[in-house]
Amino acid sequence: MKSFTYAGSPARILFGSGRSAEVSSAVESLGCRRALFLSTPHQKADAEALSDRLGALSVGVFSGAVMHTPVEVTEKALKVVQDTKADCVVSLGGGSTTGLGKAIAYRTDLLQVVIPTTYAGSEVTPILGQTEGGRKTTVRNASILPEVVIYDPDLTLGLPVGMSVTSGLNAMAHAVEGLYAQDRNPVSALMALDGLRAFRDSLPVLVKNPRDPDARAEALYGAWLCGTVLGTVGMALHHKICHTLGGSFDTPHAETHAVMLPHTASFNAKAAQAELSGAAELFGGSIGGGLWDFAKSIGAPLSLKDFGLVEADLDRAADIATENPYWNPRPIDRASIRTLLQKAWEGVRPD
């Protein structure tokens, strides 16, 4: 066996139906007494209801979270933190809300409780992606990792099918990339494969019956595993391209990951053949084509042009994606990335 390094996440995980009712005790377990709730505008009512449940433990709701964690939104939220004298944040929602909570914690060291309602997985990573001046950058720091995560499958029963599919594929991308990461290890590989298996089994069920409680629990379990993988190892080409498209062209986060996953997996298929063999078996033997077929079968988006990205944008995207590239098992050059983006833009099945 090759040598490796592994550091487990210190985050406390509460998983199970109805466990969102434990948010008060979660806040108190951190020694906090003034929790500020965070949400997107769409989930404001849900955050307010949860805030009301805490009574005097809550200082209110900031409902301005948006995709890609713009710095200007973080600055507005920080003003509310200061005005309310909040001593922790409770993030209810998907990756946008979790990202805002992490951005606040990075700047203030406030403690975090996260209650995910999608499969983003970022709630268990010490990684913050934020956008400023049309560029999305990432930072990794121990203060970014939330202290408590409450996974309640009941809160995902109403997640729309389309969002369930794209959010699930977003999480799967963390696992696939984790399998060939430079600092991969046996534990993260086990988590990645079981996370992929959980989504392979649950997403087709959810497409047919969105309120299936067992499938919802299985998908949320997969999200935890895949997110934990991302928090354990480094990122490579897939995340670099998605950060480029989201930060510089404002493409939707989960949908972009969903479209790019088969193409980036195919790009690295030969260079990381041994590392990806287990995942390939889960999806019919071909990692790129198998993931594309799976995505198509559950109604996922398959083309970047469906998000308003025009073909002329691909040249600039290739330039940005190859500037200061993340480590990748296959060497990266602009021409190959431009070709990869073209295929993803057209929505063709990768080899």
Side-chain angles (χ1 to χ4, degrees), residues 48-323:
E48 289 176 339
L50 205 56
S51 171
D52 291 343
R53 185 183 298 176
L54 263 69
L57 281 176
S58 174
V59 296
V61 175
F62 177 84
S63 59
V66 296
M67 281 194 307
H68 307 308
T69 318
V71 170
E72 58 267 27
V73 173
T74 300
E75 291 173 347
K76 292 178 182 177
L78 286 170
K79 179 67 165 55
V80 178
V81 168
Q82 182 180 17
D83 291 346
T84 60
K85 296 181 172 58
D87 59 7
C88 69
V89 292
V90 179
S91 304
L92 174 70
S96 298
T97 306
T98 300
L100 177 60
K102 292 163 81 170
I104 292 171
Y106 180 57
R107 291 164 171 80
T108 65
D109 276 336
L110 258 63
L111 303 180
Q112 303 172 75
V113 177
V114 182
I115 308 174
T117 60
T118 71
Y119 307 132
S122 58
E123 64 277 351
V124 284
T125 76
I127 303 165
L128 168 64
Q130 53 190 351
T131 305
E132 185 175 21
R135 293 291 180 99
K136 188 168 186 177
T137 57
T138 60
V139 60
R140 193 181 192 107
N141 190 282
S143 66
I144 295 170
L145 180 71
E147 282 69 27
V148 180
V149 183
I150 303 176
Y151 288 104
D152 186 343
D154 296 351
L155 299 183
T156 66
L157 292 175
L159 189 65
V161 170
M163 192 177 297
S164 300
V165 166
T166 55
S167 182
L169 287 165
N170 178 16
M172 290 169 62
H174 306 331
V176 171
E177 191 144 90
L179 287 170
Y180 56 69
Q182 186 176 26
D183 51 355
R184 62 191 179 274
N185 60 76
V187 177
S188 65
L190 288 170
M191 288 184 168
L193 289 173
D194 203 37
L196 290 170
R197 191 255 343 134
F199 278 117
R200 183 203 64 181
D201 294 348
S202 61
L203 288 180
V205 176
L206 293 177
V207 169
K208 297 178 181 178
N209 182 7
R211 299 187 68 84
D212 185 299
D214 293 334
R216 284 294 180 189
E218 187 75 357
L220 202 58
Y221 167 73
W224 169 58
L225 289 175
C226 294
T228 301
V229 170
L230 179 64
T232 303
V233 302
M235 294 176 287
L237 174 66
H238 174 87
H239 281 82
K240 178 65 175 184
I241 289 177
C242 291
H243 290 165
T244 296
L245 295 172
S248 299
F249 300 92
D250 200 32
T251 59
H253 181 82
E255 290 86 343
T256 301
H257 279 271
V259 170
M260 291 307 310
L261 175 57
H263 296 279
T264 53
S266 178
F267 183 86
N268 286 315
K270 290 183 179 180
Q273 184 175 1
E275 293 80 3
L276 288 171
S277 60
E281 289 179 11
L282 288 172
F283 296 96
S286 168
I287 187 64
L291 285 168
W292 192 91
D293 291 340
F294 176 74
K296 184 179 180 181
S297 73
I298 57 176
L302 300 173
S303 169
L304 290 176
K305 63 183 174 183
D306 293 339
F307 310 147
L309 197 71
V310 298
E311 193 169 9
D313 291 332
L314 301 182
D315 287 324
R316 180 165 169 253
D319 290 338
I320 298 172
T322 50
E323 291 174 3

